Amino acid sequence: MAWRQMLFNSRAILGPYLATGSARFSTKSNPYLVKVGIPEFLNGIGNGVESHVAKLEAEIGDFQKLLVTRTLKLKKLGVPCKHRKLILKYTHKYRLGLWRPLAQAIKS
């Protein structure tokens, strides 16, 4: 009962601020790439992983296949342990929707 009272009282206090939208949403837009492929994904990870772009594109081919690739497949392709860990960590985050590679700034 006490939790419900606290919850409803906090909504009553914060109501005007939430109605304007300034407390909920950020005005910054996130510069995400529209299409993510293997090169953009590995460049987004960084740390030297981008050196395996040609190898992974030749053997795996599709980005969706990279998202479900296992450790042994990457090991057979000759990807070092640290790079395998990074690739698998970021593919898991990407599948959960927690991470996306940022768009490269356009140089003019």
Side-chain angles (χ1 to χ4, degrees), residues 77-92:
L77 294 175
V79 179
C81 182
K82 286 186 179 183
H83 292 174
R84 284 196 308 265
K85 282 183 175 180
L86 285 170
I87 291 170
L88 294 172
K89 173 181 157 183
Y90 282 98
T91 54
H92 182 68

Side-chain angles (χ1 to χ4, degrees), residues 53-68:
V53 169
K55 188 185 316 180
L56 292 177
E57 276 193 323
E59 294 295 324
I60 296 175
D62 186 26
F63 178 63
Q64 295 301 320
K65 289 182 184 176
L66 177 67
L67 291 178
V68 294

Side-chain angles (χ1 to χ4, degrees), residues 3-108:
W3 285 103
R4 290 171 71 184
Q5 289 176 347
M6 288 174 40
L7 180 67
F8 289 120
N9 287 340
S10 66
R11 283 188 185 169
I13 294 169
L14 295 176
Y17 296 110
L18 294 177
T20 61
S22 62
R24 276 192 177 172
F25 302 106
S26 173
T27 58
K28 288 187 175 180
S29 62
N30 295 330
Y32 286 138
L33 291 173
V34 175
K35 180 186 178 301
V36 178
I38 292 176
E40 294 86 9
F41 187 79
L42 296 180
N43 285 333
I45 294 173
N47 295 326
V49 177
E50 59 272 3
S51 62
H52 305 291
V53 169
K55 188 185 316 180
L56 292 177
E57 276 193 323
E59 294 295 324
I60 296 175
D62 186 26
F63 178 63
Q64 295 301 320
K65 289 182 184 176
L66 177 67
L67 291 178
V68 294
T69 302
R70 306 248 175 145
T71 305
L72 288 177
K73 175 78 172 173
L74 294 174
K75 188 174 185 177
K76 287 178 184 176
L77 294 175
V79 179
C81 182
K82 286 186 179 183
H83 292 174
R84 284 196 308 265
K85 282 183 175 180
L86 285 170
I87 291 170
L88 294 172
K89 173 181 157 183
Y90 282 98
T91 54
H92 182 68
K93 286 184 176 186
Y94 184 86
R95 279 184 281 151
L96 295 176
L98 299 175
W99 180 83
R100 284 185 62 112
L102 292 177
Q104 300 295 325
I106 300 172
K107 296 178 184 177
S108 44

